Amino acid sequence: MHDLLPDGEELRRAVRWVSIKLEEEPGLRYQKLVQDAIFKFDLSPKESEMLFDFFRQREAEAGS
């Protein structure tokens, strides 16, 4: 089924999934959720790093 999705769609779904989980439970750490999302959405190493970077940057901006 993954072959039928456009490039980057699984990464977008992972971002959405982690974001929803963080909204539902603000006390959760994004690192654990990102690790879960990597396996849930079968992300490549490059996509995995992009996902970590996205939430790292988001956390840094929220802390500013």
Side-chain angles (χ1 to χ4, degrees):
M1 177 167 174
H2 294 295
D3 295 335
L4 301 175
L5 295 172
D7 287 342
E9 184 62 28
E10 290 299 327
L11 180 57
R12 285 189 284 277
R13 287 180 179 191
V15 168
R16 215 171 307 133
W17 184 81
V18 172
S19 296
I20 289 169
K21 295 288 185 186
L22 288 172
E23 285 179 15
E24 290 174 350
E25 293 187 57
L28 290 177
R29 293 177 48 103
Y30 78 86
Q31 293 90 341
K32 172 68 171 118
L33 291 171
V34 167
Q35 288 175 350
D36 291 347
I38 289 169
F39 292 105
K40 180 176 179 66
F41 296 98
D42 193 28
L43 300 181
S44 70
K46 183 178 179 180
E47 290 171 320
S48 301
E49 190 58 37
M50 291 171 70
L51 188 61
F52 268 114
D53 288 345
F54 177 83
F55 284 101
R56 240 183 255 126
Q57 182 178 10
R58 185 170 139 176
E59 184 177 66
E61 289 172 359
S64 298

